[in-house]
Amino acid sequence: MSTVKKRIALFGSTGSIGKQTLEVVAANPHLFEISVLTAHKNADLLIEQALKFNPNVVVIVDKAGYPKVNEALKNSDVKVYTGEEALISVAQMAEIDIVLTALVGFSGLKPTIAAIEAGKNIALANKETLVVAGEIVTKLAKEKGVNIYPVDSEHSAIFQCLTGEAMNPIEKIYLTASGGPFRGKKREDLASITKAQALKHPNWEMGAKITIDSASMMNKGLEVIEAKWLFGLTNQQIDVIVHPQSIIHSLVQFKDGSMKAQMGLPDMKLPIQYALTYPQRFETDFERFDFLNYPNLTFEKPDLDTFRNLQLAYDAMEKGGNLPCVLNAANEVTVEAFLNDKIKFLDIAEINEKVLAMANFSANPSLTSLYTTDLEARHLASEIISKL
Ligand code: NDP
Ligand code: MG
């Protein structure tokens, strides 16, 4: 084993995945070194992290936070940059071995592409990047000889099941879904859902956007599209099964009918660590799974009528082109509006569906045209919301 430490650029270090990544790094100082940390607005936490992990560079994207971070780090060796463009340049720094993308939403796309262009391997948490531009991103990664290691637990599970199976074609995969806090509920039950109820996920503690996406099952829809591009699957090869205990993280079914599943207690630190150390596994002190605590692992069919967003994601994937980008943009706007008490829970999927129907379709979008699509879909969603 090489004793050279892996140098990590951690994009979105102040978020849920970012913080857990730093826990993994702190527990394994012999394996990892932090080169870059980035935050959007959370200057205080970024400063604290910078003082602890001593990176070469930090980026506070929001310019209003720059003076504070700069002042706090002026007596350290840490360089402080600001602005979106800074994310692009630091993604390409020579010293970096791997970029862990834990930004949320469309904001992850540009820096991820910049990192791939520079030949950096990617540990990908930011699923929206593959939803928006999966074809372009995976093609570019192939051209540049870059590996994309999944951080998302379901995709990490599939990736782990596929290790050692390069010669064996996949028949299909099953992505497991917890079903979120509203599993078993019907549309009429969801009409008066509050933000606090939607923010309470039964099994995972995550950032606000993905928590709402989990409650509406948009998260699983985004993950279906993410899986298509990560593993080069056809739409028909991807199935979703609701598994409320979140112990089986996903499964692969091979052509001989054999199924491999990856299991364990829900803890994002495990897929984060595996994405950073693949193909090796290193010891952890994470809590171990005990069968006797889970005598019943159960499975259900997803309810696509109540959780429309999952159906919308399948539809957008089937029609392809720029529609997954449209759906993602609409959903970012509607989730934000829901979090700001501007719309109701069921409006999220309803508005997403309207925007999908209204946006200009393009079958083979370029990267530039996806930026236009993203803006157009955001505009359409905002218009609908403003007229409610
Ligand atoms: P959080 O909202 O907790 O964190 C997001 C991070 O990105 C923060 O560091 C935030 O900075 C930064 N950020 C937000 N907006 C921007 C922007 N416009 N430009 C630059 N930086 C920005 O999200 P999560 O950690 O929950 O999720 C991150 C990604 O990982 C998402 O794509 C999510 O789908 C995926 N994921 C998350 C899982 C989880 O368990 N949380 C599981 C699987 C996937 P600041 O703090 O300063 O606002
Ligand atoms: Mg997931």
Side-chain angles (χ1 to χ4, degrees):
M1 196 202 89
S2 120
T3 50
V4 179
K5 291 188 199 178
K6 220 172 238 180
R7 284 157 306 184
I8 301 169
L10 174 53
F11 280 44
S13 62
T14 50
S16 156
I17 293 288
K19 286 187 273 190
Q20 293 179 83
T21 302
L22 290 178
E23 284 181 44
V24 168
V25 168
N28 296 280
H30 53 297
L31 297 178
F32 309 118
E33 201 173 287
I34 292 290
S35 279
V36 175
L37 295 172
T38 87
H40 186 216
K41 292 189 161 133
N42 193 341
D44 292 332
L45 184 55
L46 184 65
I47 292 165
E48 189 188 317
Q49 292 176 339
L51 293 172
K52 177 160 183 205
F53 290 92
N54 195 29
N56 186 353
V57 176
V58 298
V59 180
I60 177 90
V61 173
D62 182 32
K63 295 195 165 139
Y66 176 77
K68 186 173 193 182
V69 180
N70 197 41
E71 176 63 25
L73 299 178
K74 72 175 183 211
N75 294 326
S76 74
D77 297 333
V78 183
K79 298 185 208 56
V80 183
Y81 300 150
T82 187
E84 267 176 51
E85 329 73 56
L87 289 181
I88 312 290
S89 51
V90 298
Q92 303 193 319
M93 272 166 36
E95 67 184 56
I96 296 167
D97 296 314
I98 190 162
V99 177
L100 194 144
T101 64
L103 302 175
V104 64
F106 191 85
S107 68
L109 180 61
K110 255 191 201 172
T112 307
I113 288 186
I116 297 173
E117 291 273 11
K120 308 297 181 192
N121 284 329
I122 306 290
L124 184 111
N126 177 240
K127 64 191 85 185
E128 293 91 342
T129 285
L130 287 186
V131 173
V132 168
E135 187 163 7
I136 293 170
V137 168
T138 50
K139 194 164 156 239
L140 183 67
K142 212 167 181 186
E143 272 168 33
K144 299 284 177 186
V146 157
N147 296 316
I148 302 180
Y149 302 114
V151 168
D152 214 345
S153 58
E154 296 77 0
H155 305 72
S156 175
I158 302 287
F159 186 62
Q160 293 181 54
C161 293
L162 289 176
T163 300
E165 301 280 5
M167 305 301 286
N168 298 321
I170 300 170
E171 190 163 87
K172 68 187 296 186
I173 66 165
Y174 289 92
L175 295 179
T176 50
S178 71
F182 308 135
R183 181 178 60 85
K185 298 226 183 299
K186 295 289 168 200
R187 285 184 66 81
E188 54 275 20
D189 307 320
L190 297 183
S192 57
I193 283 303
T194 64
K195 192 166 76 179
Q197 288 169 307
L199 281 171
K200 230 176 148 88
H201 194 278
N203 303 343
W204 300 96
E205 231 180 87
M206 310 176 285
K209 195 248 174 190
I210 184 176
T211 306
I212 301 302
D213 283 347
S214 299
S216 74
M217 288 206 76
M218 177 50 85
N219 183 48
K220 211 48 56 179
L222 300 178
E223 290 183 357
V224 167
I225 303 173
E226 180 187 12
K228 174 190 171 86
W229 296 115
L230 269 177
F231 304 113
L233 301 169
T234 64
N235 301 346
Q236 291 67 35
Q237 282 177 301
I238 311 167
D239 223 328
V240 169
I241 187 85
V242 174
H243 165 48
Q245 297 81 19
S246 297
I247 295 299
I248 296 186
H249 297 306
S250 280
L251 309 91
V252 179
Q253 182 174 311
F254 293 94
K255 296 266 186 195
D256 61 355
S258 175
M259 297 173 91
K260 274 168 87 172
Q262 188 263 335
M263 299 172 65
L265 291 173
D267 184 345
M268 284 308 299
K269 292 198 291 302
L270 200 138
I272 289 169
Q273 176 166 313
Y274 191 69
L276 293 173
T277 65
Y278 171 86
Q280 288 177 286
R281 292 183 184 274
F282 289 90
E283 193 174 339
T284 74
D285 61 1
F286 308 155
E287 193 185 341
R288 275 22 179 188
F289 172 73
D290 181 344
F291 282 95
L292 302 182
N293 288 338
Y294 290 85
N296 297 304
L297 294 182
T298 60
F299 304 94
E300 300 165 15
K301 202 171 137 76
D303 175 355
L304 297 179
D305 293 327
T306 306
F307 299 97
R308 266 308 281 162
N309 272 335
L310 179 53
Q311 182 64 54
L312 295 182
Y314 269 117
D315 294 347
M317 177 171 75
E318 191 60 38
K319 292 186 188 135
N322 63 342
L323 288 186
C325 175
V326 170
L327 179 60
N328 177 69
N331 185 61
E332 287 192 31
V333 173
T334 51
V335 168
E336 168 114 7
F338 175 71
L339 287 169
N340 290 324
D341 300 311
K342 296 220 170 78
I343 62 172
K344 298 212 167 74
F345 185 72
L346 289 175
D347 293 334
I348 296 175
E350 248 165 61
I351 298 169
N352 290 348
E353 186 160 12
K354 282 191 187 142
V355 175
L356 265 181
M358 287 161 78
N360 281 307
F361 178 67
S362 110
N364 284 303
S366 65
L367 192 58
T368 324
S369 77
L370 286 172
Y371 285 104
T372 314
T373 292
D374 176 72
L375 286 177
E376 187 203 0
R378 281 171 197 273
H379 183 69
L380 288 169
S382 304
E383 286 260 284
I384 298 171
I385 292 166
S386 70
K387 288 182 187 144
L388 282 180

